[in-house]
Amino acid sequence: MLGQSFYHETMRKVVVSFGTLFNNISIVRKDNEGNTIQSMKVPLAYGPRQKFLVRLQQDPSLASKVAITLPRIGFEITGMSYDSTRKLNRVQKFKKVKTGDSNKLEMQYMPVPYNLGFTLYIMAKQSDDALQIVEQILPYFQPDYTLTINDMAEMGIKKDVPIVLNSISYEDSYSGDFADRQAVIYNLDFTCKFYLYGPVTSQSVIKTVQADSYTDLPINTPAREQRFTVTPSPAGAEADDDFGFNETSSFFQDSKTFDPKTGQDK
Amino acid sequence: MAVNSAFHTNNLSSIATERSLYQNLIKEAIQIYGHDVYYIDRTSVAEDNILGTDVLSKFETQVPIEMYVEDAESGFGGDKELMTQFGLDNRNEITFVVSKERFQELTKQFQIESGTDATSSGSILLEDASVSQTGNSSILVTTTPFENNFYLLSETAATDADRPLEGDVIYHPVLDKMFEVGFVDHDAPFYQLDNNPVYKLRCRQYEYSSEIINTGIAAVDAIEDDLSFDALLYQITLEQNSAVNENFRLERFIDDGLLLDETDSDNIIGEDDSTSVGVSLLLETGSYLISEEYVVGTQSTNTIGDKTAQNEIFQSQAKTILDFSEKNPFGDAGA
């Protein structure tokens, strides 16, 4: 029943947008005199990738000399839920002239509001590296940061999508056995308030509207007496033109009625 | 009840010859069953007295020494290869056993003071033919018998302070991996002849954080070349190969091709520093020009460091996704 194939890549776009927020974070390392000795961009990657791809990308020849390179940032989708507080009127529609065919109109119902959960993971070897990264992120979220996303480019729709920082947790496994690995990891939980769109349908543009008036009830099979017709002005106007309307009233006494199947008066 | 006097003197400690035999047997066993590895010292550079870290510690001195890998029947210990939210994490663990006597021989080598010769690996190697290397001197000891090299050693007796240190790293050439010493186990086996002839180094595969590695061992130094994210390694430097104050010259020159000062039309010359060779181009703001080769996260062959990073991929994809046509009152990220 629902199987109309469509895919707007909305969540993929949200993932790219979220990743772009954090793709240009740099840290510096200074000596005790305050001179900058190292400066580096922090690598970022979407976490849930296929295992075989990760294995083949990072250690294809089993020659990796080190365990991992740090610092680094990873993120993943953690959940999705309907957001009833942003519910829109479900019968309203977006309409747009079809690209390449101005006699067609594309139509789409209002999008559905959803919240997409993200967790951003920041891992560093030293506390100072991690603190630099976190400090460059937190001031931008009060508690939200809004991006404008072309989430439905086919219909020319763009939405302001707030990304809300919900919580921060921190783990530093410094205590315990000396042989155990020490990891400094910050977890930042976000909610991205985006919309999901349904299918786009197209229909021909209505260029004539005709209403017939009768002087009796339908049970008495009356003939039309008056016809009100509206057409665009100029007549050759297309849907994306600037046009007006011609309104015509016609009166009949020929006892005919309009046949919608043939479009003729009979 | 007293201890056996054939092995102990005055009921307190074992006979020195027995201890020496025990120690030599273990040393020989390690030399038979072990591998030559590189023990690399960590040099602390900028210790943070507040957070207790040293983000700039570096590795520049190394020494080859034989070590035995303990309990390796089923390969590495630890969790081995793991998939995490950060990608592949090699959580290999390994325990190296090193002879205490052999290690302390190495720590007794005279070290070159830090900063006096940055290109040497730290200890003073005797030149061939400067001394007879056939005779045995009390202070002339070979420490790498396979290479027949000789070093100057201090006459001061080694102590347990001359031990492997947590934080130092070990590069195993056969495994082609680098391990960080997490803990130095100094009491196993437990005083069987009133001495402990070995250190057991509990190690895990090294987590690299763009530290400076300049050991003189090509395979080890390649780690920094391949994996460091330090942008300052990609500074654009002047090409002159001698200490001269050189004019800036245009590559496709007009007239004599020199850059002129706008105010007085004098030639613009490089930094007035007759001691620097190949100095970096420093902008007026104090920043450096970085080569376009510094690219992070394209998942292609030209990306530096980790091949799975996606920084540049997100940047290019977002050009058609993020909209900046209108002023956003809540933020101005991107581009």
Side-chain angles (χ1 to χ4, degrees):
Chain A
M1 183 176 73
L2 298 176
Q4 182 175 353
S5 176
F6 66 95
Y7 180 43
H8 305 307
E9 298 185 341
T10 311
M11 281 180 277
R12 191 175 191 276
K13 292 173 183 172
V14 173
V15 168
V16 171
S17 303
F18 185 82
T20 308
L21 273 177
F22 309 103
N23 78 334
N24 203 22
I25 292 176
S26 296
I27 62 171
V28 296
R29 292 172 176 169
K30 297 182 177 180
D31 63 15
N32 288 337
E33 283 73 45
N35 303 313
T36 298
I37 305 300
Q38 288 185 318
S39 171
M40 64 194 71
K41 186 180 278 192
V42 182
L44 164 82
Y46 181 64
R49 286 166 290 164
Q50 281 193 283
K51 287 184 176 178
F52 80 93
L53 283 176
V54 172
R55 177 74 164 150
L56 296 182
Q57 281 176 330
Q58 289 194 268
D59 196 9
S61 56
L62 305 178
S64 175
K65 296 184 174 74
V66 301
I68 191 172
T69 55
L70 297 174
R72 60 193 305 135
I73 301 175
F75 69 98
E76 64 181 355
I77 295 174
T78 53
M80 192 160 49
S81 62
Y82 181 77
D83 185 356
S84 59
T85 62
R86 292 185 288 129
K87 178 178 170 56
L88 300 168
N89 186 333
R90 67 168 68 184
V91 296
Q92 286 190 346
K93 301 170 188 173
F94 290 110
K95 292 173 184 171
K96 172 182 164 291
V97 177
K98 188 171 185 178
T99 305
D101 186 356
S102 57
N103 289 318
K104 298 272 187 173
L105 198 65
E106 289 179 322
M107 184 272 291
Q108 187 178 39
Y109 282 101
M110 279 288 155
V112 187
Y114 266 84
N115 290 339
L116 195 60
F118 282 102
T119 298
L120 186 80
Y121 303 95
I122 300 164
M123 184 177 181
K125 196 170 177 181
Q126 293 98 358
S127 300
D128 193 62
D129 286 353
L131 290 174
Q132 282 192 53
I133 297 168
V134 172
E135 191 166 323
Q136 290 178 69
I137 293 174
L138 299 191
Y140 289 98
F141 293 89
Q142 301 187 14
D144 64 291
Y145 188 94
T146 302
L147 295 172
T148 304
I149 299 177
N150 290 312
D151 54 357
M152 195 59 225
E154 188 181 347
M155 294 294 288
I157 301 170
K158 56 189 177 187
K159 287 280 186 190
D160 285 344
V161 177
I163 296 171
V164 184
L165 175 59
N166 301 315
S167 64
I168 304 160
S169 60
Y170 162 60
E171 170 198 344
D172 185 347
S173 52
Y174 68 92
S175 60
D177 194 328
F178 269 92
D180 287 347
R181 168 174 170 271
Q182 181 178 356
V184 180
I185 301 176
Y186 284 83
N187 299 332
L188 279 63
D189 285 320
F190 294 90
T191 298
C192 181
K193 295 175 176 291
F194 79 116
Y195 291 89
L196 281 171
Y197 294 81
V200 177
T201 56
S202 68
Q203 60 189 39
S204 295
V205 176
I206 298 171
K207 291 196 170 180
T208 302
V209 176
Q210 171 182 307
D212 288 354
S213 302
Y214 299 83
T215 57
D216 205 345
L217 295 172
I219 194 170
N220 297 322
T221 58
R224 81 259 186 281
E225 301 274 346
Q226 181 182 0
R227 173 168 292 166
F228 182 68
T229 307
V230 179
T231 57
S233 175
E238 296 181 338
D240 52 352
D241 288 344
D242 183 13
F243 59 88
F245 296 98
N246 283 325
E247 300 178 15
T248 309
S249 289
S250 305
F251 296 92
F252 300 96
Q253 292 180 334
D254 54 5
S255 302
K256 290 183 178 178
T257 57
F258 182 74
D259 183 356
K261 292 182 180 175
T262 63
Q264 303 293 322
D265 292 331
K266 291 181 180 176
Chain B
M1 190 72 180
V3 294
N4 189 326
S5 60
F7 295 91
H8 291 78
T9 58
N10 62 30
N11 294 339
L12 287 177
S13 59
S14 60
I15 296 172
T17 52
E18 291 296 322
R19 287 203 303 272
S20 179
L21 174 63
Y22 176 40
Q23 187 157 282
N24 287 338
L25 284 173
I26 288 180
K27 184 167 74 176
E28 188 172 355
I30 291 173
Q31 288 172 339
I32 292 171
Y33 294 107
H35 290 99
D36 276 344
V37 301
Y38 292 100
Y39 185 87
I40 305 170
D41 296 309
R42 178 189 290 265
T43 304
S44 185
V45 176
E47 189 174 338
D48 185 333
N49 293 327
I50 303 298
L51 298 176
T53 60
D54 185 356
V55 293
L56 287 174
S57 61
K58 57 187 179 182
F59 301 94
E60 292 187 326
T61 59
Q62 51 79 22
V63 65
I65 186 172
E66 70 281 359
M67 292 190 187
Y68 171 72
V69 176
E70 188 183 61
D71 296 335
E73 287 83 2
S74 57
F76 290 111
D79 295 328
K80 300 185 180 179
E81 289 83 356
L82 277 185
M83 176 73 181
T84 71
Q85 59 267 49
F86 302 104
L88 178 65
D89 193 352
N90 287 303
R91 294 189 186 172
N92 293 324
E93 295 179 1
I94 194 168
T95 299
F96 290 104
V97 182
V98 63
S99 162
K100 180 186 284 190
E101 184 184 31
R102 286 281 298 123
F103 189 86
Q104 290 176 337
E105 278 179 2
L106 298 175
T107 60
K108 287 170 66 182
Q109 290 178 13
F110 279 103
Q111 300 290 310
I112 297 172
E113 189 176 355
S114 176
T116 56
D117 186 349
T119 60
S120 296
S121 60
S123 51
I124 299 173
L125 174 64
L126 297 183
E127 195 174 349
D128 283 352
S130 63
V131 293
S132 170
Q133 297 184 358
T134 55
N136 286 323
S137 165
S138 60
I139 60 169
L140 187 63
V141 179
T142 176
T143 57
T144 50
F146 308 111
E147 297 175 10
N148 201 29
N149 291 330
F150 289 79
Y151 293 86
L152 287 176
L153 297 188
S154 167
E155 287 185 305
T156 308
T159 68
D160 268 348
D162 302 309
R163 66 176 181 87
L165 300 178
E166 287 82 1
D168 290 347
V169 298
I170 294 166
Y171 174 71
H172 196 302
V174 175
L175 305 177
D176 196 19
K177 298 193 185 305
M178 196 152 88
F179 301 92
E180 180 173 353
V181 179
F183 180 63
V184 179
D185 200 346
H186 57 282
D187 54 6
F190 194 74
Y191 293 92
Q192 290 179 342
L193 274 177
D194 302 330
N195 67 340
N196 284 327
V198 296
Y199 293 116
K200 293 188 175 181
L201 313 181
R202 314 284 183 200
C203 302
R204 59 190 173 276
Q205 197 162 345
Y206 186 63
E207 294 176 344
Y208 183 63
S209 184
S210 297
E211 288 92 346
I212 294 170
I213 300 176
N214 188 20
T215 62
I217 307 164
V220 177
D221 295 349
I223 293 173
E224 183 186 5
D225 299 337
D226 295 341
L227 300 177
S228 177
F229 281 99
D230 184 9
L232 302 189
L233 296 176
Y234 293 83
Q235 290 175 32
I236 294 177
T237 56
L238 299 177
E239 277 187 9
Q240 71 257 34
N241 53 13
S242 60
V244 294
N245 293 326
E246 194 176 59
N247 291 313
F248 282 98
R249 188 181 297 275
L250 296 174
E251 191 175 9
R252 294 178 63 84
F253 60 84
I254 304 167
D255 296 332
D256 58 358
L258 299 180
L259 286 179
L260 302 181
D261 189 302
E262 194 176 18
T263 306
D264 54 13
S265 297
D266 289 342
N267 292 343
I268 296 177
I269 59 172
E271 192 176 357
D272 188 11
D273 182 355
S274 59
T275 60
S276 299
V277 176
V279 293
S280 300
L281 279 175
L282 191 63
L283 301 180
E284 198 174 358
T285 57
S287 301
Y288 294 95
L289 288 177
I290 299 297
S291 163
E292 62 182 358
E293 292 175 4
Y294 185 75
V295 179
V296 176
T298 60
Q299 293 194 346
S300 59
T301 53
N302 67 340
T303 190
I304 68 157
D306 177 21
K307 299 293 184 271
T308 61
Q310 297 172 301
N311 299 52
E312 287 298 323
I313 293 176
F314 283 131
Q315 186 75 34
S316 61
Q317 294 253 326
K319 287 177 181 172
T320 56
I321 295 174
L322 292 180
D323 182 271
F324 296 102
S325 61
E326 296 175 31
K327 179 75 175 172
N328 183 347
F330 302 105
D332 54 358

